């Protein structure tokens, strides 16, 4: 019986993976802070992300464990929020490492979330798994500590992969909904100077890439991003074209800083240039269904 375990799998990305994988596995376990329940062959098991409480036995005899745990970075970087962002990632990763080691028959593959934000701001050099350059600001520091915690524990019977994921664009969550709403209101012009790159991936390609990693038994670091990073000004233009919005008021940095403070977020989320490419996936033979932003927008806007 094939079993998949998804830690913290009730959010946007968890639902994307569940929709994709539930027909491919005989049993799917979702580790959640919510109430335990069963829906067909999908079972929701309570965990607190920090301690062993019985959930760890669900890892036994599983094909794969996918960890999506982490407090959203869509917030102000106060001291409290910074501590929670780091702790939520490091503590959950550490306890899952410990649980894997305790298993008699541990997961064959452990995929842990990471982020493409680990790479430095870049408008000229494309960052891949081999020559990408990291930095030392808060976000990059969190990502490095996250990956260090994941890889420092040796799991002899379990393959380990950290996925450096960019913005995932999907119909039911993530960045797509606020970006579309903003553009429909007429504020779909460039953000800042518009020269910063956006690395992104369609939700279906995100799930397909994880399936490819499992099938190919890829270890180490893998970037899950589309093969064509796009400048912010071109991204926003393509979005406005897709929704037929002629009014495209730009959002200069001072306006973004004021708006970010007002809604409780940080401008880094839109002003950092994430110029990241998926060299390992491409070298391994993975083919993106949505390799351009136009294909992605057309699919997201298509009626069911």
């Amino acid at each position: 019986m094939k079993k998949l375990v998804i830690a913290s799998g009730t959010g946007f990305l968890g639902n994307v993976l569940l929709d994709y994988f539930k027909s491919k596995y005989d049993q799917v376990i979702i580790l959640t802070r919510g109430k335990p329940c069963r829906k067909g062959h999908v079972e929701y098991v309570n965990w607190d992300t920090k301690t062993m409480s019985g959930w760890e036995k669900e890892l036994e005899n599983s094909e794969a464990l996918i960890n999506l745990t982490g407090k959203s970075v869509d917030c102000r970087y106060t001291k409290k929020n910074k501590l929670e962002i780091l702790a939520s990632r490091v503590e959950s990763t550490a306890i899952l490492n410990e649980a894997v080691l305790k298993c008699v028959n541990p997961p064959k593959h452990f995929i842990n979330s990471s982020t493409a934000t680990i790479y430095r701001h870049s408008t000229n050099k494309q960052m891949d798994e081999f020559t990408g350059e990291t930095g030392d600001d808060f976000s990059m520091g969190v990502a490095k500590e996250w990956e260090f915690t994941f890889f420092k524990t040796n799991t002899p019977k379990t393959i380990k992969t950290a996925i450096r994921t960019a913005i995932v664009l999907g119909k039911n969550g993530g960045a797509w909904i606020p970006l579309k709403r903003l553009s429909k209101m007429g504020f779909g012009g460039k953000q800042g100077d518009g020269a910063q790159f956006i690395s992104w991936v369609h939700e279906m390609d995100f799930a397909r890439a994880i399936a490819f990693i499992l099938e190919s038994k890829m270890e180490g670091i893998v970037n899950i991003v589309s093969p064509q990073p796009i400048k912010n000004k071109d991204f926003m233009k393509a979005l406005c074209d897709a929704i037929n919005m002629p009014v495209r008021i730009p959002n200069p940095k001072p306006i973004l800083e004021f708006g970010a403070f007002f809604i409780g977020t940080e401008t880094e989320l839109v002003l950092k240039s994430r110029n990241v490419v998926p060299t390992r996936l491409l070298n391994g033979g993975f083919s993106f269904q949505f390799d351009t932003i136009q294909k992605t927008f057309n699919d997201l806007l298509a009626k069911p």
Side-chain angles (χ1 to χ4, degrees):
M1 182 175 71
K2 290 182 64 178
K3 179 167 69 170
L4 171 67
V5 181
I6 304 176
S8 298
T10 58
F12 165 53
L13 292 183
N15 286 323
V16 169
L17 295 186
L18 180 59
D19 287 344
Y20 184 84
F21 284 113
K22 64 184 178 183
S23 63
K24 298 174 172 42
Y25 286 83
D26 302 302
Q27 183 181 16
V28 179
I29 304 295
I30 304 293
L31 300 182
T32 173
R33 293 182 183 227
K35 294 180 179 180
C37 66
R38 180 185 291 273
K39 298 178 181 178
H41 69 294
V42 179
E43 185 174 358
Y44 293 80
V45 177
N46 181 262
W47 80 319
D48 68 358
T49 76
K50 300 176 183 179
T51 58
M52 304 282 191
S53 59
W55 57 265
E56 61 274 11
K57 69 179 185 295
E58 303 294 347
L59 274 57
E60 292 282 359
N61 300 302
S62 60
E63 293 292 316
L65 164 63
I66 303 172
N67 180 28
L68 302 174
T69 311
K71 174 182 169 60
S72 173
V73 295
D74 187 11
C75 62
R76 295 297 290 176
Y77 289 169
T78 62
K79 182 177 180 180
K80 178 176 180 291
N81 283 339
K82 283 183 175 181
L83 289 173
E84 290 181 358
I85 287 170
L86 177 61
S88 63
R89 287 157 173 75
V90 170
E91 290 175 354
S92 62
T93 299
I95 199 69
L96 286 170
N97 267 333
E98 185 179 343
V100 167
L101 288 178
K102 288 182 178 293
C103 286
V104 176
N105 296 299
K108 295 177 182 177
H109 203 142
F110 181 6
I111 294 180
N112 204 59
S113 292
S114 183
T115 174
T117 298
I118 196 170
Y119 299 109
R120 67 167 176 83
H121 177 100
S122 175
T123 56
N124 52 4
K125 177 181 177 177
Q126 290 189 330
M127 304 292 179
D128 71 3
E129 300 93 339
F130 304 103
T131 63
E133 300 169 2
T134 63
D136 295 305
D137 68 7
F138 167 68
S139 296
M140 289 181 276
V142 167
K144 289 192 287 187
E145 183 67 21
W146 197 3
E147 290 187 3
F148 174 77
T149 300
F150 179 55
F151 286 117
K152 73 177 181 180
T153 300
N154 183 34
T155 54
K157 298 179 182 180
T158 302
I159 293 171
K160 300 177 82 169
T161 312
I163 50 171
R164 292 177 176 173
T165 307
I167 297 170
V168 180
L169 296 174
K171 292 185 179 182
N172 298 316
W176 168 247
I177 294 174
L179 283 171
K180 182 175 64 171
R181 183 183 301 122
L182 187 70
S183 297
K184 284 185 173 181
M185 293 170 60
F187 294 96
K190 64 183 181 180
Q191 296 166 325
D193 64 11
Q196 70 274 27
F197 278 89
I198 296 175
S199 285
W200 53 275
V201 64
H202 186 286
E203 60 183 344
M204 180 57 67
D205 281 336
F206 171 72
R208 289 179 61 249
I210 288 182
F212 183 84
I213 289 168
L214 293 173
E215 292 163 5
S216 305
K217 298 180 180 179
M218 297 179 70
E219 300 183 64
I221 302 296
V222 179
N223 293 340
I224 299 186
V225 297
S226 71
Q228 299 183 39
I230 184 172
K231 287 187 177 182
N232 175 273
K233 61 182 179 181
D234 298 323
F235 179 98
M236 297 306 296
K237 179 181 183 301
L239 175 52
C240 289
D241 288 344
I243 63 173
N244 297 312
M245 171 51 72
V247 179
R248 305 170 185 191
I249 300 172
N251 298 274
K253 186 176 179 180
I255 296 298
L256 289 173
E257 290 175 341
F258 174 79
F261 178 81
F262 184 75
I263 65 174
T265 189
E266 292 286 342
T267 57
E268 177 196 52
L269 301 179
V270 295
L271 293 180
K272 180 176 180 179
S273 186
R274 297 169 177 84
N275 194 0
V276 184
V277 290
T279 298
R280 288 199 65 197
L281 284 175
L282 294 175
N283 287 352
F286 182 75
S287 177
F288 286 83
Q289 288 185 357
F290 301 94
D291 55 345
T292 69
I293 201 65
Q294 289 79 12
K295 288 181 184 178
T296 296
F297 288 158
N298 289 341
D299 179 75
L300 296 179
L301 290 168
K303 295 181 179 180

